[in-house]
Amino acid sequence: VQLQASGGGLVQPGGSLRLSCTASGYIFRINSMAWYRQAPGSQRELVAKIIEGPRTHYADSVQGRFTISRDNAKNAVYLQMNTVRPEDTAVYYCYGKIQVSPNYEYEYWGQGTQVTVSS
């Protein structure tokens, strides 16, 4: 299984950006997907996650500005980033807890996509 993230780039403060991540390979079921980010000199932190329901969870710093969503038919997860701030600058990583069979679940990471918020 591979996770391929895309959509990063340079955006001005107050602007919007949409990240996408698609899982490929032999997938039995995707149990949860999430976006993490890591800024220079900082630890990787959870930005948002989505599980069956769907139910979502957001970091306090992005609540009300970012929206995570899933397209189960495409094995994809998205992160709509609105009203971005310079402190949102980071490498964003896609993450998934994916079953490859009824009895085996693994964690997978995408390669990361750079988001830079600057005027």
Side-chain angles (χ1 to χ4, degrees):
V1 175
Q2 291 186 327
L3 299 182
Q4 182 69 42
S6 62
L10 175 64
V11 59
Q12 292 187 344
S16 297
L17 205 61
R18 186 179 189 236
L19 305 183
S20 300
C21 175
T22 301
S24 61
Y26 189 79
I27 297 169
F28 177 76
R29 183 167 63 195
I30 297 177
N31 292 324
S32 66
M33 297 192 82
W35 289 95
Y36 285 75
R37 68 186 181 187
Q38 187 168 19
S42 299
Q43 291 187 334
R44 191 173 296 189
E45 63 175 0
L46 175 66
V47 176
K49 67 178 178 182
I50 185 166
I51 61 176
E52 289 296 325
R55 289 179 290 167
T56 58
H57 169 81
Y58 297 93
D60 289 343
S61 59
V62 307
Q63 181 76 48
R65 299 189 297 122
F66 292 8
T67 302
I68 189 170
S69 60
R70 275 176 67 170
D71 184 332
N72 292 330
K74 297 181 179 179
N75 291 330
V77 64
Y78 308 98
L79 185 69
Q80 179 65 43
M81 306 168 61
N82 296 331
T83 320
V84 297
R85 305 167 180 168
E87 53 263 39
D88 294 322
T89 295
V91 177
Y92 284 70
Y93 295 92
C94 177
Y95 165 89
K97 278 190 177 180
I98 299 172
Q99 284 181 254
V100 298
S101 72
N103 298 320
Y104 291 94
E105 178 190 75
Y106 297 100
E107 297 179 316
Y108 296 91
W109 291 92
Q111 83 283 12
T113 185
Q114 176 71 46
V115 172
T116 302
V117 182
S118 175
S119 56

